[in-house]
Amino acid sequence: EVQLVESGGGLVQPGGSLRLSCAASGFTFSDYAMTWVRQAPGKGLEWVSAISHSGDNTYYADSVKGRFTVSRDNSKNTLYLQMNSLRAEDTAVYYCANLYSSSCHHWGQGTLVTVSS
Amino acid sequence: QPVLTQSSSASASLGSSVKLTCTLSSGHSSYIIAWHQQQPGKAPRYLMKLEDSGNYNKGSGVPDRFSGSSSGADRYLTISNLQSEDEADYHCETWDRNTRVFGGGTKLTVL
């Protein structure tokens, strides 16, 4: 069974940093591109970032470019999102998902990030 | 990049059928999309991938009541024999080069 488990969310002050993790199991992690998607309270889904299966290529939404960094450790079956210079508008539940044939396929349960003073 | 447009809400009666629409922006009518279901308080769940031809591929365990179809720039998700557990937000997704886009989501109420 595919499982994606996010962790690392919490309350952080504006300008602060957080690192999210997504632990994967039940599939060959190194074969799949991965992505982060967020959902602000009461809002729709917003794509944040993606990374190729090898980690060689990374992609970002304009809203987070230069502040967030996606990475992965295929030896640990784990995806990361380093978030710096956080803003109130980054408050959201952050989901990781694997990309199968281009679309988001399996989703994690999400981790809540709250940016507030 | 493409834009996906969805109605904010829809409603239908228990046991009936409903057809949800996701519309691709001009110049992107050939794009493949995916539909995801998000029940209240839960993570999204992949339902299917839908081509402009109307061909679709459902995820594992998705009931036969869920089907997809296409017409021009419109991509449809039809749910037959509505059940109470179908009350959820439905999101469409597409991708272009190295970005991906979601529609605003449709909140489906089962009456």
Side-chain angles (χ1 to χ4, degrees), chain A residues 39 47 59 101-102 104-105 108, chain B residues 38 43 46 49 93 98 100:
Chain A
Q39 186 172 35
W47 175 70
Y59 313 98
S101 193
S102 299
C104 294
H105 203 74
Chain B
Q38 187 176 27
Y46 170 82
K49 188 173 303 176
E93 171 204 8
N98 300 316
R100 61 192 54 247

Side-chain angles (χ1 to χ4, degrees), chain B residues 44-106:
Chain B
R45 172 199 181 193
Y46 170 82
L47 291 177
M48 68 179 67
K49 188 173 303 176
L50 176 59
E51 300 176 358
D52 59 342
S53 63
N55 291 335
Y56 60 93
N57 288 294
K58 292 197 295 187
S60 174
V62 176
D64 292 343
R65 304 184 292 104
F66 290 79
S67 62
S69 58
S70 296
S71 176
D74 292 330
R75 305 286 181 268
Y76 305 108
L77 173 68
T78 299
I79 312 171
S80 305
N81 187 21
L82 271 169
Q83 305 296 304
S84 57
E85 61 264 31
D86 298 332
E87 184 160 292
D89 293 329
Y90 291 85
H91 306 274
C92 54
E93 171 204 8
T94 195
W95 46 92
D96 185 14
R97 300 185 185 185
N98 300 316
T99 66
R100 61 192 54 247
V101 174
F102 290 91
T106 296

